[in-house]
Amino acid sequence: MGSVGYTAVAYGEVDVLVGAGRGAYPYANPLLVRGTDASLVVDPSLTLVGGAPPADLVLVSHAHEDHIAGLGRYDDVPVHVHAGDLDALRSRQALVAGIGLPDDAVDAHDALMRDEFHVLGRPDALAFEDGAVFDLGGRTVTVVHLPGHTAGHCGFLVEPDGFLYVGDIDLTSFGPYYGDVGSSLVDFEASMRRCREIDAKWFGTAHHKGVIEGAEEFRRRLDAFAGVVEKRDAALLAFLDGPRTVEEIAEHRLVYRPHVQGAHVRPVELRTAAQHLDRLTQDGLVTVVAEGRFRAA
């Protein structure tokens, strides 16, 4: 690692700025994309806090702290995010509210965002929509809206290089995360299907899986990543061998392993369980019994 805290790895004219632990949380792997007229950075994370390359604009895939901690390095540069995440990028309070923590945990988390992730809010942030094109001169970056993780989560397709950045569709064994207030399992699954339909040479993730070369290999890994959702369905159906409440399902856990602690765990488990129950009920695999209890059909 250099003194700036990242190692630049080139894929065509796209530089992936690989952070500590290959960009594992709380770090990430930002992009630097250069054209003949301008350059841009995608997702300035903690990786860039110690030093960041100059750029003419910044694109943010979504308003989570690990993707915006280095924004202070670009105070005088326009910052763009999807309209669905605009409020959370403009205001730290809105970002924290979107996590959906218990009231007694909000202040501590807000302090963490400020002190450890340098999140101050960008009230000047601008909104883009799906399909927006940023022309850098001889190179374009096209917005691909991929909601589910957050309402405004986006990927970016860099052409002519054929580099698709998929952000937090990150292909990890943890699987898809759709536990925030504005998250959606249905949207996340649709976004994964959309990714499968895009032909690219390279597919870049925000975190430690890095860059995958070739659409066939990317789709194989994407299918395994999506398969975690099916495993959660199966685990839930097995647990519903008798009547269970949503609270009991959350305590049993679909997302986090038993040793994981924190104020975020219970609300994430509750929201995740509710989404799976809704879908499985609609599919006729789960029935609602008395007193807000569910069981396998």
Side-chain angles (χ1 to χ4, degrees):
M1 301 291 289
S3 60
V4 295
Y6 62 80
T7 299
V9 181
Y11 297 87
E13 292 299 318
V14 178
D15 281 356
V16 177
L17 310 181
V18 181
R22 294 188 297 161
Y25 185 92
Y27 296 92
N29 298 322
L31 306 184
L32 173 63
V33 186
R34 299 185 185 90
T36 57
D37 299 330
S39 63
L40 63 77
V41 162
V42 174
D43 282 357
S45 69
L46 277 176
T47 301
L48 303 188
V49 167
D56 298 294
L57 68 154
V58 171
L59 304 183
V60 174
S61 67
H62 65 291
H64 275 167
E65 68 279 0
D66 52 321
H67 296 257
I68 61 175
L71 268 180
R73 287 281 177 172
Y74 298 100
D75 282 340
D76 299 324
V77 173
V79 176
H80 303 254
V81 71
H82 188 274
D85 278 20
L86 184 60
D87 287 346
L89 187 59
R90 286 179 169 176
S91 162
R92 186 177 70 241
Q93 289 70 34
L95 183 153
V96 172
I99 301 170
L101 296 169
D103 290 345
D104 60 1
V106 169
D107 288 347
H109 197 77
D110 182 73
L112 175 70
M113 295 297 97
R114 180 192 66 225
D115 299 337
E116 301 297 327
F117 288 93
H118 317 286
V119 178
L120 300 177
R122 284 297 293 257
D124 61 328
L126 304 169
F128 55 60
E129 297 289 349
D130 184 41
V133 178
F134 295 87
D135 190 341
L136 305 178
R139 182 156 286 100
T140 60
V141 180
T142 301
V143 173
V144 182
H145 189 205
L146 300 171
H149 183 63
T150 67
H153 182 272
C154 287
F156 302 104
L157 179 62
V158 184
E159 296 175 307
D161 306 86
F163 190 107
L164 178 65
Y165 178 75
V166 294
D168 273 3
I169 300 179
D170 57 15
L171 309 182
T172 62
S173 58
F174 178 84
Y177 174 91
Y178 37 89
D180 282 4
V181 173
S183 298
S184 167
L185 169 56
V186 172
D187 287 350
F188 206 127
E189 292 190 310
S191 293
M192 290 188 287
R193 290 193 295 271
R194 185 176 186 186
C195 284
R196 287 190 102 264
E197 296 170 358
I198 299 174
D199 283 321
K201 182 176 182 180
W202 294 295
F203 298 80
T205 67
H207 296 292
H208 62 277
K209 290 300 178 181
V211 177
I212 291 85
E213 184 169 357
E216 183 176 349
E217 176 63 13
F218 171 73
R219 289 164 185 157
R220 184 187 70 79
R221 297 194 188 199
L222 183 64
D223 289 345
F225 180 68
V228 174
V229 176
E230 296 177 6
K231 292 177 182 177
R232 291 172 184 160
D233 277 341
L236 176 55
L237 288 170
F239 186 60
L240 294 179
D241 56 353
R244 311 281 189 181
T245 66
V246 178
E247 289 278 358
E248 289 172 327
I249 297 166
E251 183 67 23
H252 183 69
R253 298 196 179 189
L254 297 177
V255 180
Y256 295 108
R257 294 179 180 178
H259 71 276
V260 177
Q261 302 297 318
H264 65 291
V265 171
R266 180 175 174 273
V268 167
E269 291 287 353
L270 284 170
R271 285 189 290 268
T272 301
Q275 292 182 80
H276 280 265
L277 285 169
D278 284 347
R279 189 174 64 172
L280 292 171
T281 301
Q282 291 173 14
D283 290 345
L285 298 174
V286 168
T287 59
V288 183
V289 296
E291 300 177 354
R293 294 176 178 271
F294 301 82
R295 69 176 301 157

